[in-house]
């Protein structure tokens, strides 16, 4: 469990966040960055995905298949 800002990330693929971006473990050994136009859009995505695992995040579903 990683604490980032006001969120507690439970997704094992989550790495870090910034104002408008979430960085996660990538599929081919690199990092995957998801950019959002507004912070509230990113915060909502994190609340619905990063704070839960399993979740509906497409990056998490792809990484799940990798392991």
């Amino acid at each position: 469990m990683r604490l980032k800002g006001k969120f507690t990330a439970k997704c094992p693929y989550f790495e870090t966040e910034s104002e408008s971006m979430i960085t996660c473990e990538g599929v081919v050994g690199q990092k995957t960055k998801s950019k959002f136009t507004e912070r509230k859009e990113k915060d909502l995505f994190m609340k619905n995905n990063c704070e839960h695992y399993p979740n509906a995040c497409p990056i998490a579903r792809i990484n799940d298949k990798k392991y």
Side-chain angles (χ1 to χ4, degrees):
M1 189 179 320
R2 295 170 217 154
L3 297 175
K4 300 290 179 185
K6 60 186 174 187
F7 294 101
T8 303
K10 294 182 180 166
C11 180
Y13 309 115
F14 175 85
E15 292 193 0
T16 190
E17 67 167 299
S18 67
E19 184 77 21
S20 62
M21 190 167 21
I22 300 170
T23 304
C24 303
E25 176 183 334
V27 180
V28 290
Q30 298 184 12
K31 298 183 186 317
T32 299
K33 296 183 180 200
S34 301
K35 291 190 85 171
F36 300 86
T37 55
E38 297 182 19
R39 182 178 181 99
K40 65 182 178 181
E41 180 186 11
K42 182 206 69 154
D43 289 349
L44 181 61
F45 183 89
M46 288 190 71
K47 181 181 178 192
N48 292 331
N49 292 283
C50 306
E51 287 187 356
H52 308 281
Y53 186 78
N55 58 46
C57 174
I59 295 167
R61 283 188 272 147
I62 291 169
N63 278 326
D64 284 343
K65 292 178 183 177
K66 182 171 74 172
Y67 294 105

